[in-house]
Amino acid sequence: METPGRRFGSAVVIGGSMAGLLSARVLADHFDKVTLVERDVRGEGPAARKGVPQGPHIHVLLDTGRRILDKYFPDLFEQLQVQGAELIDSSGDLAWHHFGVWKLRRTSGIPGLLCTRPLLEWNVLRRVKARPNVAVREGCSIEGLISDEKGTGRITGVRVKTPQGEESWEADLVVDASGRGSRMPQWLEAIGYARPEEEQVIVDLSYTTCLHEPPPHFQKEWKALFLYPSPPKAWRAGFISHVEGGRWLVTLNGYFGEHAPTEYAGFLEYARSLTRPDLYNYLKEATPIGPISQHKVKDCRWRHYEKLPRFPEGLVILGDAACAFNPLYGQGMSVAGLGAELLDTCLREQAERGELSGLAQRFRERLPEVIRLPWLLGTGMDLLYPQAVGKRPFGLGLLHWYLLRLMERTSTDAHVHRQFYRILHLHAGLEAVLQPSVALPVLGHGVMSLLRPLERLANTETRPPPLTPPRPSPVPVQKSTG
């Protein structure tokens, strides 16, 4: 992974969440010194923190994200398993009711990670801190950018608020990975640049989560249970995931202000209101442990920095700071990983040239290639709801009709199911579900849906049983090396 030959000088990363940690890891291969700046002061173990309000809630790591984490941290998943995380088959071990039907359960060979977000982030943080040229400065915040006084259009550093007061740090590259709350539009405006155009879909989503002890008689019929809503008629969802410590992480979601209560009787009643009874039936026999936490997400938002007519050298923006997705679809960490991987690629190209000039332009022009597909998939689903506020492009209704029939077909057709999983995990683009071997059965299903009710064309009621015999873990557990 090390870059041969020339190394660049110093880099500053704003934000210590997953996008920032991955960026710091990538930059460590290219710069003599990398400083990661984080507002929160973290303890010695995994714990929820103020800067990641979504941390206590369920997280999905798509296989593309898993691949990228494994690439930059080769022992990560073995050590997570030692600490109680599980790697499961993301289809065979998942019971998933989606768009009114139960998806097939089959061996996909695509691993899924089950653990809490704090456990994953803490393990990544440990590995980033272990890099000899990376310094993590916690309890500090970036207050603005410093630009070249000669007017060359280059960012030369940052203004930092530290416990000792405000300081100015020089940097050859600044990476903004500060998340949804990024103040980059204001900072750019302050040094004479325009604000980026923003594309937005307002959904008013909430996450309400509580850890549980599973019922003693639970037969392990699944490792995760997902009940997604069926738009446009229903917009409440529920999830149960095994996590470390033999616990269940239970999250209830609601769009458009229908937020689950944060007292337990109301939480349980909200679970009973879902379109399927399965989650409630399990939950009423489980034991809640710990407090109920809630996090609200107003919108998903893409800041189009690539469209700005002028943009400074020495600045890269990625992760939620560039595009913040609806977390219901589990795309955020994986797209942040793709952004960090793209940064690595661009820096290797710059190393061949022997200079950093041109990096900022190259990166911002190529980042939309990473964002476009997950953005289309996520916002396309959100805009099925009339209540969602956002631009509806021409032809969206036809795409919605096709995607709905595709989802229904994943209940009965193994090939359609497999191609859906490829696009879901960002292994392929839309061509995976538009090729004739998928399109013909989906269109045929659409014709039949005009003649027969859905329950005669797909499995709407019966949760598929677990696969037998049990599958081994996709990644073998190794002994801890400390």
Side-chain angles (χ1 to χ4, degrees):
M1 297 295 299
E2 297 290 340
T3 302
R6 179 187 175 106
R7 293 178 72 95
F8 300 112
S10 63
V12 170
V13 179
I14 307 171
S17 194
M18 290 299 294
L21 292 170
L22 276 163
S23 297
R25 169 62 188 86
V26 163
L27 293 172
D29 284 346
H30 300 275
F31 286 80
D32 294 322
K33 179 182 178 183
V34 179
T35 305
L36 186 149
V37 183
E38 169 55 47
R39 285 176 179 268
D40 291 339
V41 178
R42 289 178 270 212
E44 292 302 315
R49 59 189 182 89
K50 183 179 179 181
V52 185
Q54 71 274 28
H57 307 279
I58 195 167
H59 279 71
V60 174
L61 180 66
L62 303 180
D63 188 52
T64 288
R66 181 205 59 80
R67 173 190 63 78
I68 293 169
L69 283 170
D70 190 52
K71 173 181 176 180
Y72 292 109
F73 307 104
D75 70 334
L76 174 64
F77 292 97
E78 289 86 351
Q79 292 300 304
L80 282 168
Q81 288 177 284
V82 169
Q83 296 166 40
E86 287 190 79
L87 276 171
I88 64 168
D89 187 282
S90 61
S91 172
D93 293 315
L94 170 63
W96 186 359
H97 197 264
H98 194 200
F99 285 89
V101 303
W102 287 104
K103 292 196 182 302
L104 286 173
R105 292 182 69 176
R106 51 180 299 277
T107 302
S108 69
I110 299 176
L113 176 68
L114 300 185
C115 71
T116 60
R117 165 70 179 262
L119 181 68
L120 174 61
E121 188 175 296
W122 179 68
N123 274 274
V124 173
L125 173 65
R126 287 174 57 207
R127 284 156 177 78
V128 170
K129 282 184 171 181
R131 306 294 295 185
N133 58 333
V134 175
V136 178
R137 294 288 302 271
E138 296 182 335
C140 301
S141 62
I142 303 298
E143 298 300 307
L145 303 172
I146 301 172
S147 59
D148 187 355
E149 294 179 356
K150 297 178 181 179
T152 62
R154 174 178 286 277
I155 301 303
T156 58
V158 289
R159 293 186 290 105
V160 191
K161 185 186 229 181
T162 74
Q164 293 74 38
E166 188 167 300
E167 302 175 6
S168 295
W169 295 355
E170 293 184 356
D172 297 292
L173 179 67
V174 174
V175 176
D176 182 11
S178 58
R180 285 178 178 266
S182 169
R183 292 184 286 164
M184 188 54 67
Q186 298 95 308
W187 292 342
L188 285 174
E189 194 173 44
I191 59 173
Y193 291 87
R195 285 174 173 255
E197 172 190 328
E198 291 193 7
E199 192 173 351
Q200 182 185 47
V201 176
I202 299 174
V203 292
D204 192 11
L205 177 74
S206 71
Y207 270 54
T208 310
T209 297
C210 184
L211 281 164
H212 288 72
E213 293 283 355
H217 57 272
F218 176 61
Q219 297 300 307
K220 299 184 179 179
E221 302 97 306
W222 39 261
K223 297 292 182 69
L225 172 68
F226 290 178
L227 302 181
Y228 271 76
S230 300
K233 297 179 181 179
W235 45 85
R236 294 183 177 188
F239 308 89
I240 303 178
S241 171
H242 283 253
V243 293
E244 66 272 12
R247 302 166 297 172
W248 280 354
L249 189 64
V250 181
T251 293
L252 303 177
N253 294 97
Y255 280 95
F256 314 120
E258 290 199 4
H259 308 325
T262 54
E263 46 83 23
Y264 195 72
F267 183 87
L268 194 61
E269 189 60 30
Y270 192 96
R272 183 156 65 171
S273 75
L274 301 179
T275 53
R276 290 288 312 171
D278 304 75
L279 187 144
Y280 171 76
N281 289 338
Y282 284 110
L283 201 58
K284 67 183 180 181
E285 298 182 356
T287 303
I289 51 176
I292 296 176
S293 57
Q294 189 169 80
H295 173 55
K296 296 178 181 179
V297 178
K298 176 186 175 183
D299 61 5
C300 38
R301 180 183 61 244
W302 185 356
R303 287 174 170 162
H304 288 281
Y305 288 102
E306 77 281 2
K307 295 183 180 180
L308 287 176
R310 294 174 57 247
F311 192 80
E313 280 288 355
L315 178 64
V316 161
I317 306 164
L318 53 70
D320 282 3
C323 186
F325 296 89
N326 182 339
L328 190 67
Y329 306 115
Q331 299 166 317
M333 288 193 292
S334 295
V335 177
L338 286 169
E341 190 175 49
L342 173 63
L343 178 59
D344 192 4
T345 299
C346 290
L347 282 166
R348 290 175 187 275
E349 294 169 357
Q350 296 294 146
E352 292 179 359
R353 300 182 179 200
E355 62 177 3
L356 280 174
S357 295
L359 170 68
Q361 308 306 327
R362 180 173 291 107
F363 182 86
R364 73 173 178 129
E365 289 170 0
R366 289 165 64 175
L367 186 63
E369 299 169 14
V370 166
I371 294 173
R372 194 169 290 112
L373 176 62
W375 176 263
L376 173 64
L377 295 174
T379 59
M381 292 298 97
D382 289 338
L383 291 170
L384 276 164
Y385 294 103
Q387 303 96 316
V389 178
K391 182 180 178 181
R392 288 170 165 82
F394 178 78
L396 184 63
L398 181 60
L399 178 63
H400 280 160
W401 181 90
Y402 184 83
L403 289 176
L404 285 171
R405 305 294 82 78
L406 174 77
M407 300 300 182
E408 293 167 1
R409 188 73 182 180
T410 61
S411 177
T412 59
D413 189 316
H415 178 66
V416 172
H417 181 273
R418 181 165 51 252
Q419 297 306 314
F420 165 73
Y421 259 70
R422 290 185 66 215
I423 192 172
L424 172 70
H425 287 273
L426 307 179
H427 290 173
L430 281 175
E431 72 279 357
V433 295
L434 295 176
Q435 59 184 290
S437 63
V438 174
L440 291 176
V442 169
L443 293 173
H445 173 92
V447 172
M448 294 303 296
S449 68
L450 300 175
L451 307 173
R452 297 180 183 177
L454 181 59
E455 55 268 23
R456 292 185 60 188
L457 296 173
N459 176 15
T460 60
E461 298 299 320
T462 305
R463 188 175 68 249
L467 302 184
T468 55
R471 291 152 310 285
S473 173
V475 175
V477 177
Q478 299 179 2
K479 293 183 179 180
S480 173
T481 58

